[in-house]
Amino acid sequence: MTGRFARLLSLAAVLLTTVACQTGPAEAAPTWEPSSGAAASARHDVVTWGASADRLGQGTADRGYRLVVHTSAAGSGLRVRLSNAFGDRPLTLDSVYAGLQSRGAALKPGSNRRLTFDGARTVTVPAGATAWSDPLPGSLPAGSNLVVSLHSPDAAGPATGHGMAMQTSYVTQGDHTAEESAANWTDTTGSWWYLDSVSVRPPDPATGAVVALGDSITDGWASTTDLDRRWPDYLARRLQKADTEVKGVADEGISGNQVLADDAGQAALNRLDRDVLSQPGVRTVFLFEGVNDIKAHTGVTAADLIAGYREIVRRAHAAGKCVVASTVGPFEGWPEWDPAGEAVRQEVNHYIRTSGEFDGTADFDRILRSPYDQARMLPFLDGGDHIHPNDKGMQAMADSVDLAGLDCDR
Protein backbone atom coordinates (compact mmCIF):
# COMPACT_ATOMS: atom_id res chain seq x y z
CA MET A 1 0.00 0.00 0.00
CA THR A 2 2.80 2.38 0.90
CA GLY A 3 4.84 1.98 -2.25
CA ARG A 4 7.94 2.78 -0.16
CA PHE A 5 10.10 -0.07 -1.52
CA ALA A 6 9.28 0.73 -5.13
CA ARG A 7 10.08 4.40 -4.67
CA LEU A 8 13.38 3.59 -3.00
CA LEU A 9 14.40 1.41 -5.94
CA SER A 10 13.49 4.12 -8.45
CA LEU A 11 15.45 6.72 -6.51
CA ALA A 12 18.53 4.59 -5.88
CA ALA A 13 20.53 6.03 -8.76
CA VAL A 14 19.78 9.59 -7.67
CA LEU A 15 20.80 8.85 -4.10
CA LEU A 16 24.07 7.25 -5.19
CA THR A 17 25.06 10.38 -7.05
CA THR A 18 24.08 12.75 -4.25
CA VAL A 19 25.15 10.91 -1.11
CA ALA A 20 28.71 12.14 -1.42
CA CYS A 21 27.41 15.70 -1.25
CA GLN A 22 25.38 15.18 1.90
CA THR A 23 26.83 15.63 5.37
CA GLY A 24 23.90 14.22 7.35
CA PRO A 25 20.67 15.75 8.66
CA ALA A 26 20.81 19.34 9.83
CA GLU A 27 20.21 20.06 13.50
CA ALA A 28 17.18 22.18 14.35
CA ALA A 29 18.47 25.70 14.70
CA PRO A 30 17.08 29.20 15.22
CA THR A 31 18.62 30.49 11.99
CA TRP A 32 18.90 29.31 8.41
CA GLU A 33 21.38 26.46 7.96
CA PRO A 34 23.64 26.11 4.89
CA SER A 35 22.43 23.51 2.38
CA SER A 36 24.17 21.55 -0.36
CA GLY A 37 23.27 22.77 -3.83
CA ALA A 38 24.13 19.38 -5.34
CA ALA A 39 21.82 17.56 -2.96
CA ALA A 40 19.03 20.12 -3.41
CA SER A 41 19.04 19.63 -7.16
CA ALA A 42 17.91 16.01 -6.69
CA ARG A 43 15.00 16.89 -4.40
CA HIS A 44 11.43 17.85 -5.05
CA ASP A 45 9.28 20.50 -3.40
CA VAL A 46 6.79 19.49 -0.71
CA VAL A 47 4.22 21.75 0.92
CA THR A 48 5.14 22.45 4.55
CA TRP A 49 2.30 24.89 5.30
CA GLY A 50 -0.88 25.90 3.52
CA ALA A 51 -4.11 27.82 4.12
CA SER A 52 -7.10 28.05 1.82
CA ALA A 53 -7.50 31.22 -0.22
CA ASP A 54 -10.70 33.18 0.33
CA ARG A 55 -12.06 36.69 0.01
CA LEU A 56 -10.95 39.13 2.69
CA GLY A 57 -11.67 42.85 2.90
CA GLN A 58 -10.33 45.56 0.64
CA GLY A 59 -6.63 45.89 -0.08
CA THR A 60 -4.87 48.90 1.41
CA ALA A 61 -2.04 50.77 -0.29
CA ASP A 62 1.35 51.04 1.47
CA ARG A 63 0.43 48.40 4.05
CA GLY A 64 2.77 45.73 5.35
CA TYR A 65 1.86 42.34 6.80
CA ARG A 66 4.06 40.18 9.04
CA LEU A 67 2.46 36.76 8.81
CA VAL A 68 3.29 34.00 11.31
CA VAL A 69 2.86 30.40 10.09
CA HIS A 70 3.86 27.07 11.63
CA THR A 71 5.58 24.69 9.24
CA SER A 72 5.54 20.89 9.19
CA ALA A 73 8.18 19.23 6.98
CA ALA A 74 11.82 20.28 7.17
CA GLY A 75 13.85 21.07 4.10
CA SER A 76 15.90 23.49 2.05
CA GLY A 77 15.03 25.87 -0.78
CA LEU A 78 12.02 27.44 0.93
CA ARG A 79 9.48 29.02 -1.43
CA VAL A 80 6.27 30.93 -0.71
CA ARG A 81 3.18 31.20 -2.87
CA LEU A 82 1.37 34.52 -3.04
CA SER A 83 -2.28 34.56 -4.09
CA ASN A 84 -4.45 37.10 -5.85
CA ALA A 85 -7.15 34.49 -6.49
CA PHE A 86 -10.03 36.82 -5.61
CA GLY A 87 -8.54 40.10 -6.78
CA ASP A 88 -10.13 42.15 -9.55
CA ARG A 89 -6.85 43.82 -10.58
CA PRO A 90 -3.13 43.00 -10.53
CA LEU A 91 -1.47 42.89 -7.09
CA THR A 92 2.04 44.30 -6.77
CA LEU A 93 4.28 43.30 -3.86
CA ASP A 94 7.54 45.22 -3.83
CA SER A 95 9.17 43.63 -0.80
CA VAL A 96 8.82 40.08 0.59
CA TYR A 97 10.97 38.60 3.36
CA ALA A 98 11.05 35.31 5.28
CA GLY A 99 12.46 34.95 8.79
CA LEU A 100 12.00 33.04 12.03
CA GLN A 101 9.89 34.27 14.92
CA SER A 102 11.52 35.24 18.17
CA ARG A 103 8.53 36.59 20.06
CA GLY A 104 5.49 38.42 18.77
CA ALA A 105 6.46 40.45 15.71
CA ALA A 106 10.18 40.28 16.56
CA LEU A 107 12.41 38.00 14.47
CA LYS A 108 15.45 35.99 15.46
CA PRO A 109 18.55 38.04 14.68
CA GLY A 110 20.06 37.24 11.30
CA SER A 111 17.11 35.15 10.13
CA ASN A 112 15.20 37.66 7.97
CA ARG A 113 15.98 37.05 4.29
CA ARG A 114 14.65 38.75 1.15
CA LEU A 115 12.67 36.60 -1.29
CA THR A 116 12.84 37.14 -5.05
CA PHE A 117 10.57 36.24 -7.93
CA ASP A 118 12.32 35.24 -11.15
CA GLY A 119 15.28 37.10 -9.72
CA ALA A 120 13.36 40.34 -9.10
CA ARG A 121 12.52 41.94 -5.77
CA THR A 122 9.09 43.03 -7.01
CA VAL A 123 6.33 40.76 -8.26
CA THR A 124 2.98 41.61 -9.85
CA VAL A 125 0.38 38.86 -9.52
CA PRO A 126 -2.43 39.05 -12.10
CA ALA A 127 -6.04 38.96 -10.94
CA GLY A 128 -7.07 35.37 -10.24
CA ALA A 129 -3.48 34.09 -10.26
CA THR A 130 -0.73 32.98 -7.86
CA ALA A 131 3.05 33.43 -7.90
CA TRP A 132 5.82 31.30 -6.38
CA SER A 133 9.00 32.88 -5.07
CA ASP A 134 12.46 31.66 -6.00
CA PRO A 135 13.97 29.07 -3.60
CA LEU A 136 15.70 30.62 -0.60
CA PRO A 137 19.14 29.12 0.09
CA GLY A 138 19.48 27.32 3.42
CA SER A 139 17.37 24.78 5.29
CA LEU A 140 14.43 25.17 7.63
CA PRO A 141 13.86 22.81 10.60
CA ALA A 142 10.56 21.00 11.00
CA GLY A 143 7.94 22.72 13.12
CA SER A 144 9.34 26.23 12.72
CA ASN A 145 7.45 29.47 13.34
CA LEU A 146 8.14 31.03 9.97
CA VAL A 147 7.41 34.73 9.48
CA VAL A 148 6.66 36.05 5.99
CA SER A 149 6.69 39.84 5.78
CA LEU A 150 5.26 41.51 2.67
CA HIS A 151 4.41 45.00 1.48
CA SER A 152 2.25 46.33 -1.33
CA PRO A 153 2.65 49.93 -2.49
CA ASP A 154 -0.76 50.17 -4.15
CA ALA A 155 -3.05 47.30 -3.10
CA ALA A 156 -6.73 48.03 -3.73
CA GLY A 157 -9.92 46.18 -4.47
CA PRO A 158 -10.83 42.74 -3.08
CA ALA A 159 -8.00 41.16 -1.10
CA THR A 160 -7.18 37.45 -1.02
CA GLY A 161 -6.20 35.60 2.14
CA HIS A 162 -7.40 33.32 4.90
CA GLY A 163 -9.81 34.86 7.35
CA MET A 164 -9.68 32.64 10.47
CA ALA A 165 -6.01 31.97 11.05
CA MET A 166 -6.19 31.14 14.80
CA GLN A 167 -2.81 32.87 14.80
CA THR A 168 -1.78 36.42 15.60
CA SER A 169 0.03 38.20 12.79
CA TYR A 170 1.07 41.84 12.51
CA VAL A 171 0.30 44.91 10.40
CA THR A 172 2.04 48.23 9.73
CA GLN A 173 1.90 51.17 7.37
CA GLY A 174 4.92 51.63 5.17
CA ASP A 175 7.59 49.12 4.20
CA HIS A 176 9.22 47.65 7.30
CA THR A 177 9.63 44.14 5.92
CA ALA A 178 13.43 44.10 6.23
CA GLU A 179 13.35 45.00 9.93
CA GLU A 180 13.80 42.25 12.51
CA SER A 181 12.57 44.47 15.32
CA ALA A 182 8.89 44.54 16.29
CA ALA A 183 8.99 48.32 16.88
CA ASN A 184 7.01 49.29 13.79
CA TRP A 185 4.69 46.26 13.80
CA THR A 186 2.24 47.47 16.42
CA ASP A 187 -1.12 46.45 14.93
CA THR A 188 -2.38 42.87 14.77
CA THR A 189 -4.53 40.76 12.47
CA GLY A 190 -6.14 37.37 12.89
CA SER A 191 -5.94 36.64 9.16
CA TRP A 192 -3.24 35.63 6.69
CA TRP A 193 -3.10 38.11 3.79
CA TYR A 194 -2.03 37.19 0.24
CA LEU A 195 -0.06 34.10 1.39
CA ASP A 196 -1.49 30.62 0.81
CA SER A 197 1.40 28.12 0.66
CA VAL A 198 4.99 27.47 1.73
CA SER A 199 7.12 24.65 0.34
CA VAL A 200 10.56 23.16 1.02
CA ARG A 201 12.78 20.51 -0.54
CA PRO A 202 13.09 17.73 2.08
CA PRO A 203 16.36 15.82 2.56
CA ASP A 204 14.66 12.56 1.52
CA PRO A 205 13.44 12.76 -2.10
CA ALA A 206 10.68 10.27 -1.27
CA THR A 207 9.02 12.65 1.19
CA GLY A 208 5.39 13.55 0.51
CA ALA A 209 2.55 15.52 2.07
CA VAL A 210 -1.08 15.19 3.13
CA VAL A 211 -3.61 17.98 2.60
CA ALA A 212 -6.59 18.25 4.97
CA LEU A 213 -9.68 19.46 3.11
CA GLY A 214 -12.35 20.59 5.53
CA ASP A 215 -14.41 23.20 7.33
CA SER A 216 -14.10 25.10 10.63
CA ILE A 217 -13.15 21.99 12.60
CA THR A 218 -10.13 21.52 10.34
CA ASP A 219 -9.56 25.29 10.38
CA GLY A 220 -9.16 25.01 14.16
CA TRP A 221 -12.12 26.90 15.58
CA ALA A 222 -12.34 26.31 19.39
CA SER A 223 -8.66 25.35 19.58
CA THR A 224 -6.30 27.70 21.43
CA THR A 225 -5.08 30.64 19.34
CA ASP A 226 -1.31 30.89 18.75
CA LEU A 227 -0.56 27.39 20.11
CA ASP A 228 -1.03 25.35 16.90
CA ARG A 229 -3.58 22.95 18.32
CA ARG A 230 -5.72 22.34 15.25
CA TRP A 231 -6.03 18.64 14.53
CA PRO A 232 -3.77 18.91 11.42
CA ASP A 233 -1.10 20.47 13.71
CA TYR A 234 -1.26 17.49 16.06
CA LEU A 235 -1.11 15.20 13.03
CA ALA A 236 1.99 17.00 11.74
CA ARG A 237 3.76 16.49 15.07
CA ARG A 238 2.94 12.77 14.97
CA LEU A 239 4.24 12.48 11.42
CA GLN A 240 7.55 14.15 12.29
CA LYS A 241 8.24 11.40 14.86
CA ALA A 242 6.93 8.50 12.77
CA ASP A 243 8.66 6.16 10.34
CA THR A 244 6.74 7.42 7.34
CA GLU A 245 7.56 9.27 4.16
CA VAL A 246 4.63 11.66 4.67
CA LYS A 247 5.96 14.68 6.58
CA GLY A 248 4.27 17.72 5.03
CA VAL A 249 0.82 18.83 6.20
CA ALA A 250 -1.32 21.58 4.68
CA ASP A 251 -4.49 22.70 6.48
CA GLU A 252 -7.04 23.65 3.83
CA GLY A 253 -10.04 24.14 6.09
CA ILE A 254 -12.43 27.09 5.77
CA SER A 255 -14.89 27.95 8.52
CA GLY A 256 -18.45 27.27 7.35
CA ASN A 257 -17.31 25.55 4.17
CA GLN A 258 -19.54 23.08 2.33
CA VAL A 259 -18.79 20.25 -0.07
CA LEU A 260 -21.47 21.17 -2.60
CA ALA A 261 -22.37 24.87 -2.36
CA ASP A 262 -20.43 28.13 -2.34
CA ASP A 263 -21.19 30.03 0.85
CA ALA A 264 -18.39 30.42 3.39
CA GLY A 265 -15.64 30.20 0.82
CA GLN A 266 -15.94 28.32 -2.43
CA ALA A 267 -17.33 24.80 -2.11
CA ALA A 268 -14.82 22.01 -1.67
CA LEU A 269 -15.62 20.86 -5.20
CA ASN A 270 -14.83 24.32 -6.58
CA ARG A 271 -11.59 24.91 -4.68
CA LEU A 272 -10.16 21.39 -4.87
CA ASP A 273 -7.71 22.13 -7.68
CA ARG A 274 -6.39 25.44 -6.31
CA ASP A 275 -6.25 24.66 -2.59
CA VAL A 276 -5.40 20.96 -2.67
CA LEU A 277 -4.25 19.36 -5.91
CA SER A 278 -1.93 22.24 -6.84
CA GLN A 279 0.08 21.89 -3.64
CA PRO A 280 3.58 20.48 -4.29
CA GLY A 281 4.42 16.95 -3.18
CA VAL A 282 0.88 15.98 -2.19
CA ARG A 283 0.46 12.24 -1.81
CA THR A 284 -2.87 12.05 0.01
CA VAL A 285 -6.01 14.18 0.36
CA PHE A 286 -7.68 13.88 3.77
CA LEU A 287 -11.37 14.66 3.29
CA PHE A 288 -13.30 15.69 6.42
CA GLU A 289 -16.25 17.79 5.41
CA GLY A 290 -20.03 17.63 5.13
CA VAL A 291 -21.54 18.79 8.40
CA ASN A 292 -22.26 22.28 7.01
CA ASP A 293 -24.07 20.82 4.01
CA ILE A 294 -26.20 18.75 6.39
CA LYS A 295 -27.08 21.46 8.91
CA ALA A 296 -27.80 24.16 6.30
CA HIS A 297 -31.33 22.79 5.78
CA THR A 298 -31.12 23.27 2.03
CA GLY A 299 -32.51 19.84 1.26
CA VAL A 300 -29.14 18.17 0.74
CA THR A 301 -29.56 14.42 0.92
CA ALA A 302 -27.07 11.68 1.73
CA ALA A 303 -27.09 10.79 -1.97
CA ASP A 304 -26.13 14.38 -2.83
CA LEU A 305 -23.20 14.38 -0.43
CA ILE A 306 -22.03 10.96 -1.52
CA ALA A 307 -22.03 12.15 -5.12
CA GLY A 308 -19.86 15.08 -4.05
CA TYR A 309 -17.42 12.79 -2.26
CA ARG A 310 -17.22 10.56 -5.33
CA GLU A 311 -16.41 13.55 -7.52
CA ILE A 312 -13.57 14.55 -5.18
CA VAL A 313 -12.23 10.98 -5.23
CA ARG A 314 -12.45 10.82 -9.02
CA ARG A 315 -10.56 14.07 -9.52
CA ALA A 316 -7.95 13.30 -6.87
CA HIS A 317 -7.34 9.85 -8.35
CA ALA A 318 -7.04 11.35 -11.83
CA ALA A 319 -4.30 13.59 -10.41
CA GLY A 320 -2.53 10.56 -8.93
CA LYS A 321 -3.49 11.32 -5.30
CA CYS A 322 -4.98 9.01 -2.71
CA VAL A 323 -8.03 10.00 -0.67
CA VAL A 324 -8.59 9.21 3.01
CA ALA A 325 -12.02 10.23 4.30
CA SER A 326 -13.35 10.65 7.81
CA THR A 327 -16.85 10.23 9.09
CA VAL A 328 -18.81 13.39 9.96
CA GLY A 329 -18.75 14.19 13.67
CA PRO A 330 -21.74 14.50 16.04
CA PHE A 331 -23.40 17.88 16.56
CA GLU A 332 -26.61 17.46 18.58
CA GLY A 333 -26.94 20.54 20.77
CA TRP A 334 -25.88 22.89 17.95
CA PRO A 335 -28.91 25.11 17.14
CA GLU A 336 -29.30 23.75 13.59
CA TRP A 337 -29.35 20.08 14.61
CA ASP A 338 -32.53 18.14 13.92
CA PRO A 339 -33.46 14.46 13.53
CA ALA A 340 -33.67 14.73 9.74
CA GLY A 341 -30.11 16.03 9.51
CA GLU A 342 -28.94 13.36 11.92
CA ALA A 343 -30.42 10.70 9.66
CA VAL A 344 -28.44 12.12 6.72
CA ARG A 345 -25.25 12.14 8.81
CA GLN A 346 -25.72 8.52 9.82
CA GLU A 347 -26.32 7.45 6.22
CA VAL A 348 -23.26 9.36 4.99
CA ASN A 349 -21.10 7.87 7.74
CA HIS A 350 -22.27 4.36 6.88
CA TYR A 351 -21.17 4.98 3.30
CA ILE A 352 -17.74 6.28 4.37
CA ARG A 353 -17.16 3.29 6.65
CA THR A 354 -18.36 0.56 4.31
CA SER A 355 -18.22 1.62 0.66
CA GLY A 356 -14.57 0.79 0.04
CA GLU A 357 -14.38 3.71 -2.40
CA PHE A 358 -11.67 5.54 -0.45
CA ASP A 359 -8.02 4.59 -0.15
CA GLY A 360 -8.40 4.78 3.61
CA THR A 361 -10.81 5.97 6.26
CA ALA A 362 -10.76 7.61 9.68
CA ASP A 363 -13.65 7.62 12.14
CA PHE A 364 -13.75 10.97 13.88
CA ASP A 365 -17.41 10.38 14.68
CA ARG A 366 -16.48 7.36 16.80
CA ILE A 367 -13.67 9.30 18.52
CA LEU A 368 -15.77 12.37 19.36
CA ARG A 369 -19.22 10.99 20.18
CA SER A 370 -20.59 10.32 23.63
CA PRO A 371 -21.19 6.64 24.48
CA TYR A 372 -24.46 7.68 26.11
CA ASP A 373 -25.86 9.72 23.22
CA GLN A 374 -24.11 9.03 19.92
CA ALA A 375 -25.55 12.13 18.29
CA ARG A 376 -23.72 14.30 20.84
CA MET A 377 -20.06 15.07 21.35
CA LEU A 378 -18.37 13.74 24.46
CA PRO A 379 -18.37 16.71 26.88
CA PHE A 380 -14.66 16.22 27.70
CA LEU A 381 -13.83 16.87 24.03
CA ASP A 382 -16.45 19.58 23.35
CA GLY A 383 -15.24 23.11 22.67
CA GLY A 384 -18.50 24.39 24.17
CA ASP A 385 -20.83 24.72 21.19
CA HIS A 386 -21.40 20.97 20.64
CA ILE A 387 -19.92 20.92 17.13
CA HIS A 388 -16.30 22.10 17.45
CA PRO A 389 -13.84 20.00 19.47
CA ASN A 390 -11.55 21.63 22.02
CA ASP A 391 -7.78 21.09 22.16
CA LYS A 392 -8.25 17.62 23.67
CA GLY A 393 -10.73 16.74 20.97
CA MET A 394 -8.39 17.98 18.24
CA GLN A 395 -5.59 15.83 19.64
CA ALA A 396 -7.83 12.78 19.96
CA MET A 397 -8.82 13.11 16.31
CA ALA A 398 -5.21 13.37 15.15
CA ASP A 399 -4.14 10.49 17.37
CA SER A 400 -6.76 8.23 15.78
CA VAL A 401 -5.44 8.66 12.22
CA ASP A 402 -3.66 5.62 10.77
CA LEU A 403 -0.36 7.15 9.68
CA ALA A 404 0.49 4.23 7.41
CA GLY A 405 -2.75 4.86 5.55
CA LEU A 406 -1.54 8.34 4.59
CA ASP A 407 1.60 6.90 2.96
CA CYS A 408 -0.27 5.83 -0.14
CA ASP A 409 0.46 5.62 -3.87
CA ARG A 410 -1.79 5.58 -6.91
Side-chain angles (χ1 to χ4, degrees):
M1 182 72 170
T2 67
R4 181 183 180 92
F5 184 67
R7 282 193 299 277
L8 288 177
L9 285 178
S10 66
L11 292 165
V14 171
L15 291 174
L16 286 173
T17 61
T18 61
V19 69
C21 301
Q22 297 177 0
T23 58
E27 295 294 327
T31 56
W32 300 106
E33 293 292 315
S35 62
S36 164
S41 66
R43 301 171 190 164
H44 69 285
D45 287 352
V46 169
V47 62
T48 187
W49 174 87
S52 301
D54 200 0
R55 293 176 177 85
L56 291 184
Q58 295 291 301
T60 302
D62 196 29
R63 177 161 291 181
Y65 297 95
R66 178 154 282 181
L67 308 171
V68 182
V69 303
H70 192 69
T71 65
S72 53
S76 62
L78 176 141
R79 303 172 73 201
V80 307
R81 188 171 75 178
L82 305 177
S83 179
N84 193 23
F86 295 95
D88 63 2
R89 68 200 72 190
L91 169 71
T92 296
L93 296 161
D94 59 2
S95 187
V96 183
Y97 277 75
L100 296 174
Q101 186 181 35
S102 173
R103 183 176 181 181
L107 306 183
K108 293 183 178 180
S111 72
N112 203 26
R113 307 269 296 281
R114 183 185 288 277
L115 289 163
T116 60
F117 299 80
D118 291 331
R121 294 183 174 189
T122 296
V123 60
T124 297
V125 188
T130 60
W132 281 100
S133 72
D134 301 322
L136 188 66
S139 61
L140 183 71
S144 296
N145 276 357
L146 179 73
V147 180
V148 178
S149 303
L150 52 87
H151 173 263
S152 174
D154 56 2
T160 297
H162 188 85
M164 194 181 79
M166 304 301 295
Q167 174 68 54
T168 302
S169 291
Y170 302 89
V171 181
T172 188
Q173 282 300 117
D175 183 4
H176 302 282
T177 53
E179 300 169 7
E180 294 182 333
S181 166
N184 288 305
W185 297 90
T186 54
D187 294 330
T188 61
T189 177
S191 302
W192 289 307
W193 295 75
Y194 302 117
L195 176 72
D196 78 341
S197 187
V198 178
S199 73
V200 293
R201 292 178 177 175
D204 183 352
T207 300
V210 57
V211 178
L213 176 61
D215 48 42
S216 57
I217 301 176
T218 297
D219 213 6
W221 183 249
S223 67
T224 303
T225 298
D226 292 334
L227 292 185
D228 303 305
R229 292 182 176 177
R230 313 162 193 84
W231 73 261
D233 295 320
Y234 284 109
L235 179 63
R237 289 190 276 273
R238 285 189 66 204
L239 288 168
Q240 296 312 312
K241 299 175 182 178
D243 182 20
T244 175
E245 292 172 356
V246 175
K247 298 296 183 184
V249 177
D251 185 338
E252 301 294 328
I254 295 180
S255 180
N257 200 230
Q258 298 181 34
V259 174
L260 303 175
D262 293 346
D263 187 10
Q266 292 180 316
L269 286 169
N270 293 333
R271 63 188 183 91
L272 179 66
D273 291 345
R274 181 192 64 238
D275 289 350
V276 180
L277 301 182
S278 72
Q279 298 290 354
V282 175
R283 187 165 300 164
T284 300
V285 179
F286 194 110
L287 174 61
F288 175 47
E289 191 156 3
V291 69
N292 290 315
D293 299 76
I294 293 170
K295 70 180 182 59
H297 300 299
T298 59
V300 169
T301 65
D304 295 331
L305 260 181
I306 289 169
Y309 294 150
R310 285 174 170 156
E311 176 66 12
I312 290 171
V313 171
R314 183 192 68 78
R315 288 165 55 189
H317 283 176
K321 318 300 181 187
C322 294
V323 181
V324 172
S326 174
T327 50
V328 179
F331 68 103
E332 185 179 356
W334 177 264
E336 294 168 294
W337 184 92
D338 63 13
E342 179 64 16
V344 172
R345 187 180 76 91
Q346 293 293 347
E347 188 175 347
V348 165
N349 284 351
H350 178 75
Y351 157 77
I352 292 170
R353 292 184 180 112
T354 65
S355 69
E357 295 180 12
F358 302 98
D359 300 286
T361 59
D363 202 341
F364 289 168
D365 171 49
R366 181 180 62 82
I367 295 300
L368 295 173
R369 72 193 184 197
S370 168
Y372 308 108
D373 183 350
Q374 295 191 1
R376 282 185 176 269
M377 193 182 302
L378 188 68
F380 177 69
L381 305 179
D382 192 339
D385 60 11
H386 312 302
I387 193 170
H388 297 100
N390 58 20
D391 291 353
K392 294 291 186 184
M394 296 286 183
Q395 184 171 13
M397 293 161 63
D399 286 349
S400 74
V401 174
D402 175 18
L403 300 186
L406 302 179
D407 193 4
C408 173
D409 277 336
R410 299 261 341 151

